[in-house]
Amino acid sequence: MFKMLIPKERVSTVFDIDLEGLYEQGYRGIITDLDNTLVGAKAPLATPELLEWFKKVKEIGFQLIIVSNNQLERVSKFATPLDIQYVHEARKPSNLPFRKAMKMMNLTADQTIVVGDQMLTDVYGGNRLGLFTILVLPIALHDEGWVTRFFNRRVERIALTRLRRLGLWKEEDKE
């Protein structure tokens, strides 16, 4: 179980992802979380830097879909003006939203990347389907909802302690 929480890659932000390298490896689609992955959980709009990243993602040739556990209003207000497809109220780590996103992109698991800030939802969900998972540091922990803050992050801390004891998680491995 604990090994399913280990991402294939860890970076500080989405801006640190080697998009060109991943494209060269055959990846063609990115499923990304929204809150605390792309912007803070309470930030309504994309930052100028994020808009440039979206542009780069598309220029390289990736398809991009936001898959969020958040409600329709939050996700659509962010994604629709940017012409980005999305799956809201996803119930990650369920397989269904990841499969739906891959179907929307007409891609297979070995062509798909998952980017997110949570081990229990994004990484675990992506790893279960054999997707390439990338864990980013959360942007604004203080803006997270109570379920994420008091359950998910607490379980993550327990899992990280266990992974470190097993020698499967080293801080210097992040970048």
Side-chain angles (χ1 to χ4, degrees), residues 3 30 36 40 43 47 98-99 104 112 132-133 137 162 169:
K3 288 186 179 181
I30 299 173
N36 274 336
T47 64
F98 296 104
R99 285 193 175 127
M104 290 166 72
T112 308
F132 187 90
T133 52
L137 296 175
R162 177 86 170 149
W169 191 281

Side-chain angles (χ1 to χ4, degrees), residues 4 13 17 21 25 56 69 74 77 79 105 119 129-130 133 137 153 155 164 168:
M4 294 297 283
T13 72
I17 297 170
Q25 293 176 49
K56 181 179 178 183
N69 284 348
R74 162 69 173 144
K77 280 186 178 179
M105 294 186 288
M119 294 167 65
L129 290 173
T133 52
L137 296 175
R153 298 296 182 195
V155 173
R164 285 182 185 114
L168 298 172

Side-chain angles (χ1 to χ4, degrees), residues 27-94:
Y27 295 102
R28 297 296 181 260
I30 299 173
I31 297 171
T32 182
D33 180 43
L34 172 58
D35 294 323
N36 274 336
T37 298
L38 297 176
V39 294
K42 292 185 178 176
L45 303 172
T47 64
E49 186 180 25
L50 186 59
L51 293 174
E52 282 299 312
W53 186 77
F54 288 147
K55 182 179 173 185
K56 181 179 178 183
V57 165
K58 290 180 182 179
E59 285 174 354
I60 290 171
F62 281 106
Q63 295 181 67
L64 178 77
I65 292 184
I66 294 172
V67 174
S68 173
N69 284 348
N70 215 323
Q71 298 173 348
L72 174 63
E73 183 179 357
R74 162 69 173 144
V75 183
S76 66
K77 280 186 178 179
F78 181 90
T80 302
L82 302 172
D83 195 29
I84 296 175
Q85 291 183 301
Y86 59 88
V87 177
H88 66 284
E89 296 179 27
R91 300 182 188 266
K92 295 180 291 183
S94 167

Side-chain angles (χ1 to χ4, degrees), residues 5-23 25 27 113-119 122-123 127 131-137 169-170 173-175:
L5 297 174
I6 301 173
K8 304 291 187 290
E9 188 174 314
R10 295 173 5 200
V11 295
S12 294
T13 72
V14 294
F15 311 116
D16 300 319
I17 297 170
D18 179 9
L19 295 170
E20 292 90 351
L22 291 168
Y23 194 85
Q25 293 176 49
Y27 295 102
I113 299 163
V114 174
V115 179
D117 69 299
Q118 291 190 53
M119 294 167 65
D122 308 305
V123 174
N127 282 346
L131 309 179
F132 187 90
T133 52
I134 300 175
L135 182 67
V136 300
L137 296 175
W169 191 281
K170 296 181 177 92
D173 290 345
K174 187 182 73 172
E175 298 179 338

Side-chain angles (χ1 to χ4, degrees), residues 118-164:
Q118 291 190 53
M119 294 167 65
L120 291 180
T121 56
D122 308 305
V123 174
Y124 180 64
N127 282 346
R128 285 184 20 199
L129 290 173
L131 309 179
F132 187 90
T133 52
I134 300 175
L135 182 67
V136 300
L137 296 175
I139 293 172
L141 284 171
H142 59 279
D143 287 345
E144 291 183 325
W146 69 272
V147 171
T148 300
R149 192 180 311 165
F150 296 108
F151 177 73
N152 291 12
R153 298 296 182 195
R154 186 169 288 163
V155 173
E156 280 184 3
R157 282 192 298 276
I158 293 166
L160 282 170
T161 299
R162 177 86 170 149
L163 289 168
R164 285 182 185 114

